[in-house]
Amino acid sequence: MAILLDGKKISSQIKEELKAKVEELKKEGSKVPHLSAILVGTDGASQTYVEAKVKDCQEIGFESSKLLFDDSISEAELLQEVDKLNNDERVDGFIVQLPLPKHINVDKVLNAIKPEKDVDGFHPMNYGRMATNLPAYIPATPFGVMELLKRYEIPTKGKHCVVVGRSRIVGSPVSILMGSDNYPGDATVTLTHRYTIDLAKYTKQADILIVAVGKPGLITADMVKNDVVVIDVGTTRVPDATKKSGFALKGDVLFDEVSKKATHITPVPGGVGPMTRAGLLMNTWLAAQKEIYGKELV
């Protein structure tokens, strides 16, 4: 069986490391990092995610705040709230939880966030800096994926990495990072998407396969080669009467099949999910320490 890339375990390690750093700040009498979140509407998954972020902050000693708004809020009103956080010196970084109501232009809202407070890493300034290998806030999920590969010491240099899914939240930034002059990185990257003809032709070539589509069971054992490293980003709620919640989380990879051929694989849940939250915390720490925008580039 494959070695589990245990995101829950690694995220706990990261939180302990950050907690120790926060305790040092408190001893010095310095300001501790403050993460804020804007949540619009009553989407259950979004509410759960924001609550988890608040809990994470409490665990490690970050300050946190959340701003809740009815889904009837206008775009102009939401932009005013973003502007308030942009100019609030107490807040080091903040996120606008997605999705937003259909009457609000998502790009307009995300682009209104100051790049130095954009700890989700979605602003074009951060995306561009990431793509050109300059200091930047990396989107939380790709940040978590990179950290998982690093902490398990997965070799990436010269490997063929195949990414399935090209979203700007996961697939596209992951493909850039895996091809960057860095570690993890220095891989030869193939980016596939919904219009890729014969997906299995490419996935079978992968030394490292990263899947972020949201289609449960998309990747089967006959689509991968032996000794592949598999990162399954997919987390889809599937009805399950045996669960108290009434649903189960399923990944894009058929775990039971593919794990028999892989050397390393992420479970769902417990793999990339916790690492996404860890990525956000790491970005918030960088924001508070002015590590990205507060120091001159050399």
PDB file of all heavy atoms in Angstrom, residues 24 74 79 101 154 159 199 212 254 260 262 268 275 287:
ATOM      1  N   GLU A  24       6.208  33.842  21.040  1.00  0.00           N
ATOM      2  CA  GLU A  24       7.389  34.704  21.089  1.00  0.00           C
ATOM      3  C   GLU A  24       7.000  36.171  20.894  1.00  0.00           C
ATOM      4  O   GLU A  24       7.527  37.057  21.567  1.00  0.00           O
ATOM      5  CB  GLU A  24       8.397  34.276  20.016  1.00  0.00           C
ATOM      6  CG  GLU A  24       9.162  33.006  20.349  1.00  0.00           C
ATOM      7  CD  GLU A  24       9.990  33.141  21.622  1.00  0.00           C
ATOM      8  OE1 GLU A  24      10.657  34.188  21.790  1.00  0.00           O
ATOM      9  OE2 GLU A  24       9.939  32.214  22.458  1.00  0.00           O
ATOM     10  N   SER A  74     -25.433  44.611  -1.813  1.00  0.00           N
ATOM     11  CA  SER A  74     -25.107  45.036  -3.171  1.00  0.00           C
ATOM     12  C   SER A  74     -23.604  44.952  -3.402  1.00  0.00           C
ATOM     13  O   SER A  74     -22.807  44.895  -2.451  1.00  0.00           O
ATOM     14  CB  SER A  74     -25.573  46.476  -3.408  1.00  0.00           C
ATOM     15  OG  SER A  74     -24.777  47.389  -2.671  1.00  0.00           O
ATOM     16  N   LEU A  79     -18.011  46.164  -1.752  1.00  0.00           N
ATOM     17  CA  LEU A  79     -16.739  46.829  -2.062  1.00  0.00           C
ATOM     18  C   LEU A  79     -16.362  47.828  -0.965  1.00  0.00           C
ATOM     19  O   LEU A  79     -15.175  48.001  -0.663  1.00  0.00           O
ATOM     20  CB  LEU A  79     -16.820  47.528  -3.418  1.00  0.00           C
ATOM     21  CG  LEU A  79     -16.830  46.591  -4.638  1.00  0.00           C
ATOM     22  CD1 LEU A  79     -17.160  47.376  -5.910  1.00  0.00           C
ATOM     23  CD2 LEU A  79     -15.491  45.875  -4.786  1.00  0.00           C
ATOM     24  N   PRO A 101     -22.842  35.757  -4.299  1.00  0.00           N
ATOM     25  CA  PRO A 101     -24.105  35.785  -5.052  1.00  0.00           C
ATOM     26  C   PRO A 101     -23.879  36.201  -6.513  1.00  0.00           C
ATOM     27  O   PRO A 101     -22.941  36.934  -6.816  1.00  0.00           O
ATOM     28  CB  PRO A 101     -24.936  36.825  -4.297  1.00  0.00           C
ATOM     29  CG  PRO A 101     -24.384  36.827  -2.920  1.00  0.00           C
ATOM     30  CD  PRO A 101     -22.905  36.579  -3.074  1.00  0.00           C
ATOM     31  N   ILE A 154       9.270  14.559  -1.215  1.00  0.00           N
ATOM     32  CA  ILE A 154       8.982  13.925  -2.505  1.00  0.00           C
ATOM     33  C   ILE A 154       9.879  14.547  -3.575  1.00  0.00           C
ATOM     34  O   ILE A 154       9.840  15.767  -3.778  1.00  0.00           O
ATOM     35  CB  ILE A 154       7.504  14.116  -2.903  1.00  0.00           C
ATOM     36  CG1 ILE A 154       6.575  13.584  -1.804  1.00  0.00           C
ATOM     37  CG2 ILE A 154       7.227  13.454  -4.247  1.00  0.00           C
ATOM     38  CD1 ILE A 154       6.661  12.107  -1.553  1.00  0.00           C
ATOM     39  N   LYS A 159      10.988  15.361 -12.703  1.00  0.00           N
ATOM     40  CA  LYS A 159       9.844  14.451 -12.769  1.00  0.00           C
ATOM     41  C   LYS A 159       8.777  15.014 -13.724  1.00  0.00           C
ATOM     42  O   LYS A 159       8.708  16.213 -13.966  1.00  0.00           O
ATOM     43  CB  LYS A 159       9.242  14.251 -11.377  1.00  0.00           C
ATOM     44  CG  LYS A 159      10.193  13.663 -10.343  1.00  0.00           C
ATOM     45  CD  LYS A 159      10.622  12.261 -10.706  1.00  0.00           C
ATOM     46  CE  LYS A 159      11.502  11.657  -9.621  1.00  0.00           C
ATOM     47  NZ  LYS A 159      11.943  10.273  -9.953  1.00  0.00           N
ATOM     48  N   LEU A 199      -7.557  11.718 -21.837  1.00  0.00           N
ATOM     49  CA  LEU A 199      -6.919  12.113 -20.587  1.00  0.00           C
ATOM     50  C   LEU A 199      -5.973  11.037 -20.067  1.00  0.00           C
ATOM     51  O   LEU A 199      -4.865  11.332 -19.584  1.00  0.00           O
ATOM     52  CB  LEU A 199      -7.991  12.415 -19.536  1.00  0.00           C
ATOM     53  CG  LEU A 199      -7.508  12.777 -18.130  1.00  0.00           C
ATOM     54  CD1 LEU A 199      -6.679  14.053 -18.152  1.00  0.00           C
ATOM     55  CD2 LEU A 199      -8.697  12.918 -17.177  1.00  0.00           C
ATOM     56  N   ALA A 212      -7.486  18.079  -9.556  1.00  0.00           N
ATOM     57  CA  ALA A 212      -8.336  19.086  -8.901  1.00  0.00           C
ATOM     58  C   ALA A 212      -9.490  19.450  -9.826  1.00  0.00           C
ATOM     59  O   ALA A 212      -9.490  20.496 -10.480  1.00  0.00           O
ATOM     60  CB  ALA A 212      -7.515  20.331  -8.568  1.00  0.00           C
ATOM     61  N   LEU A 254     -10.073   7.255  -7.337  1.00  0.00           N
ATOM     62  CA  LEU A 254     -10.588   6.058  -6.672  1.00  0.00           C
ATOM     63  C   LEU A 254      -9.482   5.516  -5.769  1.00  0.00           C
ATOM     64  O   LEU A 254      -8.606   4.764  -6.200  1.00  0.00           O
ATOM     65  CB  LEU A 254     -11.007   5.005  -7.706  1.00  0.00           C
ATOM     66  CG  LEU A 254     -12.400   5.152  -8.307  1.00  0.00           C
ATOM     67  CD1 LEU A 254     -12.672   4.027  -9.284  1.00  0.00           C
ATOM     68  CD2 LEU A 254     -13.473   5.166  -7.216  1.00  0.00           C
ATOM     69  N   LYS A 260      -3.012   1.154  -4.547  1.00  0.00           N
ATOM     70  CA  LYS A 260      -2.263  -0.090  -4.714  1.00  0.00           C
ATOM     71  C   LYS A 260      -1.115   0.058  -5.717  1.00  0.00           C
ATOM     72  O   LYS A 260      -0.197  -0.766  -5.736  1.00  0.00           O
ATOM     73  CB  LYS A 260      -3.205  -1.212  -5.156  1.00  0.00           C
ATOM     74  CG  LYS A 260      -4.242  -1.580  -4.097  1.00  0.00           C
ATOM     75  CD  LYS A 260      -5.249  -2.593  -4.623  1.00  0.00           C
ATOM     76  CE  LYS A 260      -6.318  -2.887  -3.561  1.00  0.00           C
ATOM     77  NZ  LYS A 260      -7.370  -3.802  -4.078  1.00  0.00           N
ATOM     78  N   ALA A 262       0.326   3.364  -6.265  1.00  0.00           N
ATOM     79  CA  ALA A 262       1.067   4.583  -5.915  1.00  0.00           C
ATOM     80  C   ALA A 262       2.101   4.323  -4.822  1.00  0.00           C
ATOM     81  O   ALA A 262       1.959   3.402  -4.020  1.00  0.00           O
ATOM     82  CB  ALA A 262       0.089   5.664  -5.451  1.00  0.00           C
ATOM     83  N   VAL A 268      -8.816  11.354   1.200  1.00  0.00           N
ATOM     84  CA  VAL A 268      -9.913  12.330   1.222  1.00  0.00           C
ATOM     85  C   VAL A 268     -11.004  11.762   2.110  1.00  0.00           C
ATOM     86  O   VAL A 268     -11.529  10.684   1.829  1.00  0.00           O
ATOM     87  CB  VAL A 268     -10.481  12.593  -0.194  1.00  0.00           C
ATOM     88  CG1 VAL A 268     -11.670  13.553  -0.121  1.00  0.00           C
ATOM     89  CG2 VAL A 268      -9.414  13.152  -1.127  1.00  0.00           C
ATOM     90  N   MET A 275      -4.403  21.071   4.670  1.00  0.00           N
ATOM     91  CA  MET A 275      -3.243  21.824   4.199  1.00  0.00           C
ATOM     92  C   MET A 275      -3.658  23.159   3.579  1.00  0.00           C
ATOM     93  O   MET A 275      -2.887  24.119   3.586  1.00  0.00           O
ATOM     94  CB  MET A 275      -2.452  20.997   3.188  1.00  0.00           C
ATOM     95  CG  MET A 275      -1.777  19.772   3.782  1.00  0.00           C
ATOM     96  SD  MET A 275      -0.664  20.165   5.154  1.00  0.00           S
ATOM     97  CE  MET A 275       0.562  21.182   4.324  1.00  0.00           C
ATOM     98  N   ALA A 287       2.051  37.942   6.008  1.00  0.00           N
ATOM     99  CA  ALA A 287       1.484  39.291   5.914  1.00  0.00           C
ATOM    100  C   ALA A 287       1.799  40.105   7.157  1.00  0.00           C
ATOM    101  O   ALA A 287       2.191  41.274   7.080  1.00  0.00           O
ATOM    102  CB  ALA A 287      -0.030  39.206   5.707  1.00  0.00           C
TER     103      ALA A 287
END
